[in-house]
Amino acid sequence: MKLRFDEFMQTALYHPERGYYTSRIKTVGRGGDFATSATLSDSLARAIAHQFQKSGLRNLIEVGPGDGSLAATIRRNLPLFKRLRLQQHLVELSPVLSAQQKKRNPKARHHSSIASALQICQGHAFIYSNELVDAFPVRIFRTSAAAAPEELFLNQQSSTWHESWQPATNLPASTFFSTKLNPHQRFEVHETYHTWFSSWQDHWHTGQIL
């Protein structure tokens, strides 16, 4: 079996039964698989709450809320009148994390896509995320002696996966391809993130994004 690296990463992270985010992750934060700044301090939550309050918006969307602690802390840091008007939306693909988010944020609405959240908001929302981009599969390239770069594939032999490099085709948009790099230097391109970001733009009419 041969897979392009982003295909391998997509399967490893999001396979319905064996994917890390869909079934293997325990939680985020203290005692979890990893921690983010939002699970170690309330500084980020206070800053987002302040900016959201200044925006004058009512709909608040978090994409990839982890264990839900950031969303809950943001709500606590809003004035009472703002909390009463708040329409909070959490967008999550992981059933494991979604269950934790619902416990911490029982008043929030939960979605599997940002498009569905924006539809309910009628396109008017304050959108934020924390450490989201690194959850998207990447394509990996390296410079080569030839004019065209090479792309990383993984070949399975028995139960072991091995790296192999092939001439790259169907290059995604990236400034890396026009930048002078060192010989055999690797670089990542988040093509899946670009695709995702553009897929819901037509649903978003006004607001702010962090």
Side-chain angles (χ1 to χ4, degrees):
M1 175 185 288
K2 180 176 71 174
L3 292 175
R4 205 169 66 183
F5 181 80
D6 59 328
E7 297 171 338
F8 176 86
M9 186 174 176
Q10 174 71 32
T11 302
L13 294 180
Y14 298 107
H15 186 278
E17 298 176 357
R18 300 180 181 179
Y20 171 69
Y21 283 119
T22 50
S23 64
R24 302 290 181 174
I25 189 171
K26 296 178 181 178
T27 189
V28 180
R30 293 182 177 89
D33 292 359
F34 57 89
T36 67
S37 60
T39 62
L40 302 177
S41 166
D42 63 355
S43 299
L44 179 60
R46 293 200 310 269
I48 295 175
H50 177 71
Q51 186 63 31
F52 175 62
Q53 185 179 351
K54 287 174 56 180
S55 73
L57 294 161
R58 184 177 184 180
N59 294 294
L60 181 64
I61 300 176
E62 181 175 357
V63 186
D67 67 349
S69 58
L70 178 58
T73 308
I74 289 173
R75 176 183 281 273
R76 289 197 301 269
N77 279 275
L78 291 172
L80 177 60
F81 76 91
K82 192 71 174 180
R83 292 201 302 270
L84 293 175
R85 296 184 66 251
L86 176 65
Q87 295 292 325
Q88 196 168 20
H89 303 266
L90 304 182
V91 179
E92 180 60 64
L93 291 177
S94 168
V96 178
L97 294 177
S98 181
Q100 298 176 29
Q101 294 159 18
K102 290 176 181 178
K103 289 182 180 179
R104 287 187 170 87
N105 301 273
K107 295 182 179 180
R109 295 190 179 188
H110 300 265
H111 310 267
S112 60
S113 74
I114 189 172
S116 65
L118 285 168
Q119 185 175 12
I120 292 177
C121 299
Q122 297 182 329
H124 309 288
F126 185 104
I127 304 168
Y128 71 96
S129 63
N130 179 47
E131 300 195 25
L132 174 69
V133 182
D134 57 0
F136 283 79
V138 298
R139 295 175 68 178
I140 298 181
F141 300 90
R142 75 176 182 184
T143 56
S144 67
E150 296 175 325
E151 184 165 9
L152 179 62
F153 285 74
L154 294 176
N155 295 322
Q156 186 180 30
Q157 299 175 0
S158 299
S159 59
T160 305
W161 291 87
H162 301 273
E163 291 188 355
S164 67
W165 294 90
Q166 299 183 14
T169 59
N170 300 319
L171 297 180
S174 174
T175 56
F176 273 117
F177 298 113
S178 59
T179 303
K180 186 175 181 180
L181 303 173
N182 295 325
H184 287 198
Q185 180 174 339
R186 294 190 182 199
F187 56 94
E188 299 177 356
V189 178
H190 281 79
E191 183 180 37
T192 54
Y193 179 78
H194 297 160
T195 301
W196 169 82
F197 196 85
S198 62
S199 69
W200 53 265
Q201 292 300 291
D202 291 343
H203 300 280
W204 189 38
H205 304 314
T206 61
Q208 297 182 22
I209 187 168
L210 290 175

